[in-house]
Amino acid sequence: MATSSVSKGCFVFKPNFKKRKISVPIEDYFNKGKNASEDSKLRFETYQLIWQQMKSETERLQEELNKNLFDSLVEFLQTSHSGLWKNSKDWSCEIKLREIPTAALVLGVNVTDHDLTLRSLTEVLQNNVTPYVVSLQAKDCPDMKHFLQKLVSQLVDCKVDVQSKEKESVQVIQKNVHYSMDSLSAWYMSVTQKTDPKMPRKKRTSSSQWQSPPVVLILKDMESFTTKVLQDFIIISSQHLHEFPLILIFGIATSPVVIHRLLPHAVSSLLCIELFQSLSCKEHLTTVLDKLLLTTQFPFKLSEKVLQILTNIFLYHDFSIQNFIKGLQLSLLEHFYSQPLSVLCCNLPEAKRRIRFLSANQCENIRRLPSFRRYVEKQSSEKQVALLTSDKFLKEETQSLLENLHVYHKNYFLVLRCLHQFTSSLPKYPLGRQIRELYCMCLEKNIWDSEEYASVLQLLRLLAKDELMAMLQNCFKLFQSSSGKELGNTAKKIEEFLAQFQSLDAETKEEEDTSQSQSKGLQKTDLYHLQKSLLEMKELRSTSKRQTKFEVLREQVVSFVDSLVREYLLPPDTQPLHETLYFSSAHTLRQHLNAAPRIALHTALNNPYYYLKNEALRSEEGCIPNVAPDICIAYKLHLECSRLINLVDWSEAFATVVTAAEKMDANSVTSEERNEIIHARFIRAVSELELLGFIKPTKQKTDHVARLTWGGC
């Protein structure tokens, strides 16, 4: 677009919004991808169904885990507000009426999860305590003016069942330029006095139980607020507490000590603080894994390396449950996108139905699976020919293999929980304290071949009877809920062990009585016969080393647990068709989640074709394409320089590369203007490299810059 003007100027051309690109639906990527097949749409629908089920389950878990915390907060707010309106002449009550009720909510360092928790808390408070709930962040409140402005704007936007006259007062306070606690108190009194509690309402909730509901102010990131802003607001609010019933909730990520660091004693004494602690992040992660992965409710599973990547990001980076769930969603999406046979990753009846309608290409995909090849090699020659040639026989065998895989998972998770009952309380936790650690070990290899498992068996052989009986009772409850035949027999076997342990009490009492009678008989003998009998008993013990009945029974229990582990805790990669359910592409997941900005920058600047996919940018290694972006040309030229770069030489080399494509005439009239344009392009490219951190100005030499990076990143 050209614009003519008498004088030089700057012209702004607004983009045409009608010509914007329309975003491509996600399902189109399944159809246009390199792994597209005739069932791409079905795979995408299956992905959506499983993810919606997982998402609803995580939301339900979030509500359950936060229920106790929210209930205690609601109780605190209700009692605090009722105490504000008590007419008592007691000295202690008068002192308390001057204090602002404050809940110090310690949420932990997982800051990315705080927003979701506080949003859920806001909904609970609006339904049970008060409709006036406001949430403020430190970035929106740099000073007292903006603090009150945000507070007022959110208060008047609260959805309250009021008359139209009250809405007029909202509009009046919105028009006011000057915000103060006096105007806010006047607005609050006008709103609450006009509200008649006896007035019939269509939707009357428990939050309308008071004629004057409190105002709850949630400070999301209390550590980030300015000290002066907090002090001024608390001092002013305490003076208007009877007119404007305020309750504070501090969202704390570190420790409650930060309250006393930010607020001096004169200000903190105006607060009636009560501490509330949210659930630990690790406990939350264990619950999520237990309900989403260690169950047969969802067919999708993760391999050992993928699960290790997600847990490492959680434990060593952010402690964020939301980021872990997003990583799980990415794994699910990548599995259905990259694996054509993920169409069988659904519940067992639906998978059997889909197997009957598999095409010839999909049957060939099954035959190419490494786990299915190993399975075919173990079969007889006649069955091998039938599996490799007959699609009908292959579909029947696939149905039985998927059914076996379903039974394998059912038994696997039950035995895994049983083993965790035995190992979670052992000294030094050889197989981990959390069940996710034990699960990762079992996914990786045969756990009975590890040294940790051998030490577990040694420790189990040293357990007391009470500890062993408690573990067996917990395992009995687990196996009792199963419907499998083998595991049903397992429950009966554990019940027999418990009965034998209980019968040992009576036998031990009898043995004690007999030993006492024998000792009395020995006392009547003389010294010679006593010494002789003791020597005989010592020889018998040294030769036979007889075990007690409890030791024999304990050894049987340990052997029984060992047999269960060896039979049911086989790694998933030993099962045929496990690729249909397990996502194992750890490298792809690591590329998406583990950001490597330095490598990405070097690749983009050194080889722009990798991202732009423009054929004109293809070049041999070591060559600089003259049609590349200016910053790419400047970057490749700076790689050839030493620690200090001469800007004049760099500019001349840049101009040489750029003008190679344009074939400019040196004697032309516009050569000076073109040189100015090239010089401006070079300055912009150098500024961009400085912004990215590749160079910096230096005072060692004039017209030089210092290089900051070395090697091939």
Side-chain angles (χ1 to χ4, degrees), residues 100 102 219 222 225-235 248 250 252 256-273:
I100 303 175
T102 305
L219 303 182
M222 196 255 183
F225 276 88
T226 309
T227 305
K228 188 177 185 305
V229 173
L230 284 178
Q231 291 181 16
D232 294 345
F233 178 74
I234 291 172
I235 293 172
L248 297 176
F250 292 157
I252 300 173
V257 184
V258 73
I259 298 176
H260 302 286
R261 289 179 182 172
L262 291 175
L263 305 175
H265 178 70
V267 179
S268 61
S269 61
L270 300 175
L271 303 177
C272 180
I273 304 174

Side-chain angles (χ1 to χ4, degrees), residues 303-370:
S303 67
E304 184 269 336
K305 292 183 178 179
V306 173
L307 183 59
Q308 199 67 44
I309 289 174
L310 292 179
T311 52
N312 285 344
I313 292 175
F314 175 86
L315 294 173
Y316 300 113
H317 288 79
D318 52 10
F319 287 104
S320 174
I321 294 294
Q322 297 303 315
N323 290 347
F324 180 85
I325 293 174
K326 288 178 182 178
L328 183 63
Q329 181 186 7
L330 177 62
S331 304
L332 180 68
L333 180 62
E334 188 66 31
H335 176 66
F336 278 92
Y337 174 73
S338 60
Q339 176 58 263
L341 291 174
S342 59
V343 69
L344 302 179
C345 185
C346 55
N347 54 45
L348 186 60
E350 179 65 19
K352 288 184 176 181
R353 188 190 66 80
R354 293 181 181 182
I355 288 173
R356 294 198 297 268
F357 300 99
L358 289 179
S359 63
N361 292 332
Q362 291 169 327
C363 291
E364 288 299 322
N365 289 333
I366 293 177
R367 294 187 178 103
R368 293 192 192 102
L369 292 177

Side-chain angles (χ1 to χ4, degrees), residues 539-580:
E539 291 177 358
L540 287 173
R541 287 180 181 176
S542 61
T543 54
S544 61
K545 291 184 181 179
R546 285 185 56 191
Q547 291 181 330
T548 62
K549 291 184 178 181
F550 167 70
E551 293 174 345
V552 173
L553 189 57
R554 182 174 59 187
E555 184 65 32
Q556 292 177 1
V557 171
V558 174
S559 301
F560 172 71
V561 173
D562 184 37
S563 63
L564 284 178
V565 170
R566 293 175 182 271
E567 183 177 0
Y568 294 108
L569 287 188
L570 293 168
D573 54 8
T574 61
Q575 305 299 314
L577 303 183
H578 74 274
E579 294 93 344
T580 59

Side-chain angles (χ1 to χ4, degrees), residues 598-613:
R598 187 179 180 186
I599 297 175
L601 276 176
H602 176 75
T603 305
L605 298 176
N606 194 43
N607 183 19
Y609 174 78
Y610 183 83
Y611 291 105
L612 300 179
K613 303 300 181 185

Side-chain angles (χ1 to χ4, degrees), residues 415-560:
V415 177
L416 182 73
R417 296 178 194 279
C418 174
L419 181 61
H420 179 64
Q421 292 292 335
F422 280 95
T423 60
S424 59
S425 59
L426 293 178
K428 297 183 180 180
Y429 310 106
L431 293 180
R433 190 172 186 176
Q434 304 289 340
I435 193 171
R436 58 177 170 78
E437 300 172 353
L438 178 62
Y439 181 51
C440 287
M441 291 183 182
C442 295
L443 287 176
E444 183 180 7
K445 58 182 179 181
N446 295 331
I447 194 171
W448 53 86
D449 294 335
S450 62
E451 297 180 359
E452 293 83 2
Y453 182 77
S455 63
V456 163
L457 294 183
Q458 292 179 359
L459 292 172
L460 289 178
R461 293 187 177 97
L462 301 175
L463 288 177
K465 185 179 67 174
D466 296 338
E467 297 174 338
L468 201 58
M469 286 185 67
M471 294 175 181
L472 286 173
Q473 287 174 354
N474 293 333
C475 293
F476 178 71
K477 294 177 183 178
L478 287 173
F479 286 111
Q480 207 173 15
S481 61
S482 66
S483 58
K485 295 181 180 179
E486 298 86 356
L487 296 179
N489 297 332
T490 303
K492 293 179 181 178
K493 186 69 175 176
I494 294 176
E495 192 174 10
E496 292 176 2
F497 281 132
L498 288 172
Q500 292 178 11
F501 276 117
Q502 291 174 356
S503 64
L504 282 177
D505 295 334
E507 295 180 3
T508 51
K509 289 181 180 179
E510 293 179 0
E511 290 179 357
E512 289 177 359
D513 296 338
T514 54
S515 62
Q516 288 178 3
S517 62
Q518 287 178 1
S519 61
K520 290 180 181 178
L522 288 173
Q523 288 175 2
K524 296 179 182 180
T525 59
D526 56 359
L527 182 61
Y528 173 76
H529 289 90
L530 177 61
Q531 188 177 7
K532 186 177 180 181
S533 58
L534 289 174
L535 288 172
E536 291 175 355
M537 290 172 63
K538 185 178 179 181
E539 291 177 358
L540 287 173
R541 287 180 181 176
S542 61
T543 54
S544 61
K545 291 184 181 179
R546 285 185 56 191
Q547 291 181 330
T548 62
K549 291 184 178 181
F550 167 70
E551 293 174 345
V552 173
L553 189 57
R554 182 174 59 187
E555 184 65 32
Q556 292 177 1
V557 171
V558 174
S559 301
F560 172 71

Side-chain angles (χ1 to χ4, degrees), residues 286-314:
T286 302
T287 308
V288 169
L289 286 176
D290 190 30
K291 299 297 182 181
L292 296 184
L293 295 180
L294 304 181
T295 177
T296 56
Q297 180 182 356
F298 304 107
F300 176 71
K301 299 290 180 288
L302 298 177
S303 67
E304 184 269 336
K305 292 183 178 179
V306 173
L307 183 59
Q308 199 67 44
I309 289 174
L310 292 179
T311 52
N312 285 344
I313 292 175
F314 175 86

